[in-house]
Amino acid sequence: MSLFRKIFGSGHDDSDEESQSEYNSPKPSNLPVDEQFTFNFKKNGGKFIYCENLNEVKEQFENILEENDWFEKEVLCYESKLFHLLDENRLPYQSVTQPTFLFASCENLIADEGSVLFSSNQIRQNRAEQLPDNIVILATTSQILESKSDGLRMIKKKYVKEFPTNITTIKYFEKAKEEDFLTYGSCYKNLYLLLLEDL
């Protein structure tokens, strides 16, 4: 999807970003939901990696491991559908005691906050501060929703019988340079988002 190529850029638009100030950058509320999520997620310090197919997901996942020297490190992962990526890279995820990062999917991506919505299906009963400082998320473009209430509505619709618990969002992906009352007491995580095109 060329729209995401435009949003994520090809790595050559640094000069454009530097020339924009917070006053002349586009207002996220006027943007389509996918662009709004991108704008707010980047503003919160999140790292995007857009993938057109599963081969790109595998390649980019390996790039993250290499960039951070996470090969042979323990991983916290509760979802069997993700185990194959860990097995392919020989990453231990069973009976781990000191995981370097969490590898998970998510319930939804929330555009108006640029946050990631989790439930007990991805993080069990762990609170945000109990999770590793580093997180790698695999999500799809169809999971982008406008607001948290849309996300909660989608969870209610998706899980008719076994409603998940511990529904929470993570919104801050880098330490705030200046803490204010909005960020006070919040837990920030170094978060990579592997966003797979499925629309």
Side-chain angles (χ1 to χ4, degrees):
M1 186 177 202
S2 62
L3 170 66
F4 278 98
R5 287 274 183 229
K6 268 201 271 184
I7 295 169
F8 302 127
S10 59
H12 302 296
D13 353 338
D14 290 343
S15 58
D16 291 344
E17 283 182 27
E18 289 169 9
S19 66
Q20 285 188 347
S21 74
E22 62 183 312
Y23 302 108
N24 67 7
S25 56
K27 297 278 185 275
S29 58
N30 300 334
L31 298 174
V33 70
D34 49 0
E35 290 183 44
Q36 187 180 0
F37 173 75
T38 304
F39 180 91
N40 289 325
F41 184 80
K42 282 182 167 183
K43 192 175 87 176
N44 292 344
K47 298 173 192 76
F48 264 117
I49 303 169
Y50 173 70
C51 303
E52 291 184 348
N53 54 52
L54 288 171
N55 285 336
E56 281 189 28
V57 168
K58 290 179 183 182
E59 183 184 329
Q60 295 299 341
F61 183 64
E62 287 176 18
N63 289 342
I64 292 170
L65 297 176
E66 189 175 343
E67 177 186 325
N68 294 284
D69 194 22
W70 287 346
F71 286 106
E72 299 179 17
K73 303 286 187 188
E74 291 186 340
V75 182
L76 185 63
C77 183
Y78 297 112
E79 299 168 85
S80 58
K81 66 183 179 183
L82 301 176
F83 291 167
H84 71 281
L85 278 171
L86 301 176
D87 290 333
E88 284 174 22
N89 290 286
R90 297 188 181 101
L91 295 166
Y93 55 87
Q94 294 177 333
S95 306
V96 296
T97 54
Q98 293 185 313
T100 301
F101 67 97
L102 167 71
F103 185 44
S105 65
C106 65
E107 293 297 340
N108 290 105
L109 303 169
I110 308 302
D112 65 356
E113 292 184 342
S115 62
V116 182
L117 182 66
F118 295 101
S119 76
S120 54
N121 291 326
Q122 295 87 37
I123 61 173
R124 297 291 189 257
Q125 298 308 317
N126 293 307
R127 295 188 311 275
E129 60 270 12
Q130 295 173 313
L131 296 171
D133 290 338
N134 304 297
I135 298 177
V136 179
I137 299 299
L138 175 57
T140 59
T141 51
S142 63
Q143 288 180 281
I144 301 174
L145 298 176
E146 188 163 348
S147 68
K148 207 181 289 183
S149 59
D150 293 331
L152 295 173
R153 207 173 359 265
M154 189 62 74
I155 288 173
K156 195 172 183 182
K157 187 177 173 183
K158 184 178 175 183
Y159 303 103
V160 180
K161 292 185 179 174
E162 290 185 35
F163 197 74
T165 57
N166 195 23
I167 298 168
T168 188
T169 57
I170 295 180
K171 179 178 175 180
Y172 299 104
F173 311 119
E174 64 183 3
K175 189 166 175 62
K177 292 171 184 79
E178 293 179 25
E179 289 199 15
D180 58 18
F181 74 96
L182 293 173
T183 59
Y184 180 76
S186 59
C187 181
Y188 73 94
K189 300 293 180 183
N190 175 35
L191 191 139
Y192 290 85
L193 173 61
L194 292 165
L195 189 62
L196 175 62
E197 175 62 59
D198 71 338
L199 291 173

